[in-house]
Amino acid sequence: MGSRVTILDVASEAGVSRQTVTRAMNDMADISEATRKRVLEAAERLGYRPSRFARNLVNRQKTHALGLVVASFRNPYYTDIAADMLSGAAKRGWQVMIAAPDGELEDVLGVLSAQVDVLVGHFGGPEADLREAGRGLPVVNLELVSTLPGVHSVHVDLESGIVEAVGALRERGARRFGMVDSAYTQRFSRAYEPSPRREWFERAAGSQLTGVVVGEETISGGGQAFAELLRRHPDTDAVLMFNDLMALGAVQNAHALGIDVPGRVRIVGVDGLSLGEAVDPQLTTISLDRQGIASNTLDIAEILAKADFAPIAPIHRSVRTQMLWRGSA
Amino acid sequence: MGSRVTILDVASEAGVSRQTVTRAMNDMADISEATRKRVLEAAERLGYRPSRFARNLVNRQKTHALGLVVASFRNPYYTDIAADMLSGAAKRGWQVMIAAPDGELEDVLGVLSAQVDVLVGHFGGPEADLREAGRGLPVVNLELVSTLPGVHSVHVDLESGIVEAVGALRERGARRFGMVDSAYTQRFSRAYEPSPRREWFERAAGSQLTGVVVGEETISGGGQAFAELLRRHPDTDAVLMFNDLMALGAVQNAHALGIDVPGRVRIVGVDGLSLGEAVDPQLTTISLDRQGIASNTLDIAEILAKADFAPIAPIHRSVRTQMLWRGSA
DNA sequence: CACGGTCCCGTGAAGGTTCACGGAACGATC
DNA sequence: GATCGTTCCGTGAACCTTCACGGGACCGTG
């Protein structure tokens, strides 16, 4: 429980100076093989490990760290983005520190902001809190385009994707449109009521809208909401599910209820998860370019790094969607 | 592009000393309201942000950081563990930095080890590299029990779980056992050939073993391998799939091929993913206690922290499995 | 006037590492 | 024997923040 073993301890143990220890530890030149070995042994003996803080304090600007807030680890959409972010960051020499908002958003951001240079992710709260919780850090919002200064964003143009999907469904004969929305979005006040997806869908469906049912953002929640929607509006022949996870439950539930998909009702998800290939029929979905989100985010992060993370004019990038016609629609 | 803005810049901008800036930034006492406001404004104006390194250098011992190596973000088993680790760590005041081994394990561990106090995760390589790549950091291996000094482990007692599963399958009438193993494990030399799971299963099945087919560690890979297994050994009436992801493909493929599950063949997965509830019939699986893995890992991490991360005798914890009888077996 | 107390603020030091530079020892060269 | 170059190693400084302590200004009290 004694205090930490420092470079000086190793130096005196090996009978050399600090600098020589550094040379030995970092495989630098200007040191004899015998001395290097002696120092390394002393370090091993004492269990010496360089302080990452002191080290990074000296050569700052070297590596940058990005704090990623993952909305949920139970939805592959978010973990996919995290995966792309991670591999992309590694290629560009960035560190990624991940946090998941278990309780209060503030708690997560508080600890995270002390460790990183940029804050990135799906924060899922009123964005007024964002600037405050970030404590002066630049923020990249992956959820919606922000109007706050210092808050940048990468935005999925889902609206045109939904319009495209509804149009294509019409071409395939659909006339009565229903939707399952997420109950999750109701947790927040202004920013999310009603959900943008719902608004876009209702506008696209127009007079052909049958109804909207709200469900929990899980597989079973989607299945239940889907069944409820068909119970209330039996004439519905095309359903947009809030996301793929819920759509999986819909396909599954339709199968259990003996409802023909896409014969009687067409089902379309949102996200483009490869998981959609695991059900029968395979899930048709509006695919969101997760890799594009990640790379755009990292682009912004690098621009911010170039400006030494000083406040700059907000950057807003956008990625487009792509229809993935599989079996369910 | 100038150098970083430090506390001294803010101090001179506000016409005060360092310490007063600190007082203002950290909501400390002994400062007048007017001065605090003036300092905060100056900080805002300059975009000042305290260096996390310098700060943590001063009050060390405060927060500890854990480096988590996630084998794959495409398998919910690993992201589940990450989620549990993240929420558990937050509760205990730990930071988590996550990395995914995209290319070489060494690269990931190299950068990660500079940032954290403990290394944790599924490393999936020859463990000889582990001690080396950790660069003196304590390591907690989540994959197998290590014999190396300084490498601790949390181990899933899957062997008894497999024995239990095979026994229960026999009670249900199964007599011809087959398995789909992972091709992934063939990437590594000594430690993984053949995979422990396969050895345990072959021993448990004994003379009732029909055959083993190797497949890619994905949903479709599992489906293909499953079909191949049944083609080669049509009399197989019970199959252990390497993990749930592959088992999902098996159930799916059986459905497509018109094979009755569990009537003609029983399918058992490994992991206990909730995703298994999304297929029909729902997947029976040997559930691994992911939360237990996370909490045990954090326990070990805290013990290591108490010892200031100095080398101590390896700690090995173990968690048990639990059969989840759903529909497929 | 002397003294104590409060309020506000500043200076030295520490924390552990790396960079830049200087310097000693030694053999080689002219 | 003086000079030079090489090899190896050590000392001062810097990185940026916080902690511990001290000190001046001001007010009130005896």
Side-chain angles (χ1 to χ4, degrees):
Chain A
M1 189 102 79
S3 70
R4 183 193 182 84
V5 37
T6 84
I7 198 174
L8 289 176
D9 299 327
V10 180
S12 79
E13 170 84 9
V16 294
S17 73
R18 312 185 305 260
Q19 181 62 18
T20 302
V21 176
T22 295
R23 280 192 264 259
M25 298 295 294
N26 301 5
D27 277 335
M28 299 170 66
D30 295 337
I31 184 173
S32 73
E33 202 45 54
T35 320
R36 156 170 294 144
K37 195 176 171 191
R38 190 156 42 92
V39 171
L40 290 181
E41 282 173 358
E44 175 79 12
R45 203 161 41 241
L46 298 180
Y48 166 70
R49 190 170 53 86
S51 156
R52 63 177 195 271
F53 298 118
R55 169 172 288 178
N56 291 37
L57 182 59
V58 172
N59 41 342
R60 66 197 192 293
Q61 100 266 5
K62 267 295 185 56
T63 80
H64 298 300
L66 178 150
L68 175 63
V69 175
V70 177
S72 165
F73 267 79
R74 314 292 177 182
N75 187 338
Y77 174 69
Y78 297 112
T79 52
D80 274 8
I81 289 181
D84 292 333
M85 206 80 85
L86 238 29
S87 64
K91 285 190 188 70
R92 302 175 186 221
W94 279 71
Q95 300 293 117
V96 177
M97 185 164 271
I98 297 185
D102 225 23
E104 285 302 306
L105 182 63
E106 295 240 3
D107 297 341
V108 177
L109 294 192
V111 286
L112 205 57
S113 62
Q115 304 277 340
V116 301
D117 303 300
V118 202
L119 239 33
V120 157
H122 301 84
F123 302 95
E127 67 167 334
D129 299 356
L130 213 53
R131 189 91 190 96
E132 178 65 19
R135 295 177 182 274
L137 259 68
V139 172
V140 182
N141 196 333
L142 266 35
E143 214 152 8
L144 67 173
V145 181
S146 173
T147 56
L148 273 60
V151 179
H152 316 266
S153 73
V154 177
H155 162 252
V156 178
D157 182 17
L158 184 54
E159 178 168 17
S160 64
I162 288 179
V163 168
E164 179 190 350
V166 169
L169 285 170
R170 280 208 184 91
E171 281 181 19
R172 293 172 183 232
R175 291 294 176 267
R176 308 291 296 157
F177 292 89
M179 176 182 177
V180 170
D181 199 11
S182 167
Y184 174 81
T185 60
Q186 299 191 325
R187 270 178 42 198
F188 307 106
S189 46
R190 247 188 4 272
Y192 285 109
E193 187 140 15
S195 80
R197 299 186 186 189
R198 175 174 178 167
E199 285 189 337
W200 297 328
F201 181 74
E202 288 181 345
R203 201 175 308 148
S207 62
Q208 296 180 326
L209 182 78
T210 59
V212 178
V213 170
V214 166
E216 197 190 338
E217 223 174 286
T218 61
I219 294 178
S220 60
Q224 288 167 22
F226 173 79
E228 174 70 14
L229 175 67
L230 283 202
R231 203 183 55 75
R232 286 198 214 162
H233 309 282
D235 59 334
T236 303
D237 59 9
V239 176
L240 177 73
M241 300 296 297
F242 180 80
N243 64 20
D244 277 2
L245 219 51
M246 300 177 76
L248 246 41
V251 171
Q252 182 60 20
N253 223 331
H255 180 76
L257 295 172
I259 299 174
D260 181 26
V261 175
R264 184 181 143 196
V265 58
R266 298 170 192 275
I267 297 178
V268 175
V270 174
D271 278 351
L273 303 187
S274 63
L275 214 57
E277 299 174 356
V279 290
D280 184 37
Q282 295 192 356
L283 182 64
T284 289
T285 175
I286 305 175
S287 180
L288 311 189
D289 181 10
R290 309 187 278 296
Q291 204 152 355
I293 293 174
S295 62
N296 273 296
T297 302
L298 290 170
D299 286 347
I300 294 179
E302 286 188 337
I303 293 174
L304 291 170
K306 216 157 264 161
D308 268 328
F309 303 102
I312 62 176
I315 304 170
H316 299 292
R317 297 266 186 106
S318 181
V319 300
R320 295 190 58 82
T321 62
Q322 187 191 356
M323 281 303 293
L324 239 52
W325 292 99
R326 298 199 275 225
S328 72
Chain B
M1 190 98 80
S3 69
R4 183 196 183 85
V5 38
T6 84
I7 198 174
L8 288 176
D9 300 326
V10 180
S12 78
E13 170 84 8
V16 294
S17 73
R18 311 185 307 258
Q19 180 62 16
T20 301
V21 176
T22 295
R23 280 191 264 259
M25 298 295 295
N26 301 4
D27 278 334
M28 299 170 67
D30 296 336
I31 183 174
S32 74
E33 202 46 52
T35 314
R36 155 169 296 144
K37 195 177 172 189
R38 189 155 43 90
V39 171
L40 291 181
E41 282 173 358
E44 175 79 12
R45 201 159 45 240
L46 298 180
Y48 166 69
R49 190 170 52 84
S51 154
R52 60 179 196 271
F53 297 117
R55 171 173 285 178
N56 291 29
L57 181 60
V58 172
N59 39 344
R60 65 200 193 290
Q61 102 266 3
K62 265 294 184 58
T63 79
H64 299 299
L66 178 149
L68 175 63
V69 175
V70 178
S72 166
F73 267 78
R74 315 293 178 182
N75 187 338
Y77 173 69
Y78 296 112
T79 52
D80 274 8
I81 289 180
D84 293 332
M85 206 79 86
L86 238 29
S87 65
K91 285 191 187 69
R92 301 177 187 219
W94 278 71
Q95 301 294 116
V96 177
M97 184 165 271
I98 297 185
D102 226 22
E104 285 302 306
L105 182 63
E106 294 239 5
D107 297 342
V108 176
L109 294 192
V111 286
L112 204 57
S113 63
Q115 303 276 340
V116 300
D117 304 300
V118 202
L119 240 33
V120 157
H122 301 84
F123 302 94
E127 67 167 333
D129 298 356
L130 212 53
R131 189 91 190 98
E132 178 65 18
R135 293 176 182 274
L137 259 68
V139 172
V140 182
N141 196 332
L142 266 35
E143 215 153 7
L144 68 171
V145 182
S146 173
T147 55
L148 273 60
V151 179
H152 315 266
S153 73
V154 177
H155 162 251
V156 179
D157 183 17
L158 184 54
E159 178 168 17
S160 64
I162 288 179
V163 169
E164 180 190 350
V166 170
L169 285 171
R170 281 208 182 91
E171 280 182 18
R172 294 174 182 231
R175 290 294 176 269
R176 308 291 296 156
F177 292 90
M179 177 182 176
V180 170
D181 199 11
S182 167
Y184 174 81
T185 60
Q186 299 192 325
R187 271 180 39 200
F188 306 107
S189 45
R190 248 190 358 275
Y192 285 109
E193 187 142 12
S195 80
R197 298 185 187 189
R198 175 175 179 167
E199 284 190 337
W200 297 328
F201 180 74
E202 289 181 343
R203 203 175 307 150
S207 61
Q208 297 180 326
L209 182 78
T210 59
V212 177
V213 171
V214 167
E216 198 189 339
E217 224 174 284
T218 61
I219 294 178
S220 60
Q224 288 167 20
F226 172 80
E228 174 70 14
L229 176 66
L230 284 201
R231 202 183 56 74
R232 286 197 214 163
H233 310 281
D235 58 333
T236 302
D237 59 8
V239 175
L240 177 72
M241 300 295 297
F242 180 81
N243 64 19
D244 276 2
L245 220 51
M246 301 177 76
L248 245 42
V251 171
Q252 183 61 20
N253 224 332
H255 180 77
L257 296 172
I259 299 175
D260 181 26
V261 175
R264 183 182 145 196
V265 58
R266 298 170 191 274
I267 297 178
V268 175
V270 173
D271 278 350
L273 303 187
S274 63
L275 214 58
E277 299 173 357
V279 292
D280 184 37
Q282 295 193 354
L283 182 64
T284 289
T285 175
I286 304 175
S287 179
L288 311 189
D289 181 10
R290 309 187 278 294
Q291 204 151 357
I293 292 173
S295 63
N296 272 297
T297 301
L298 291 169
D299 287 346
I300 294 178
E302 286 188 338
I303 292 173
L304 291 170
K306 215 156 267 161
D308 268 327
F309 304 101
I312 62 176
I315 304 171
H316 299 293
R317 297 266 186 108
S318 181
V319 300
R320 294 190 60 82
T321 62
Q322 187 191 357
M323 281 304 293
L324 238 53
W325 291 99
R326 300 199 275 227
S328 72

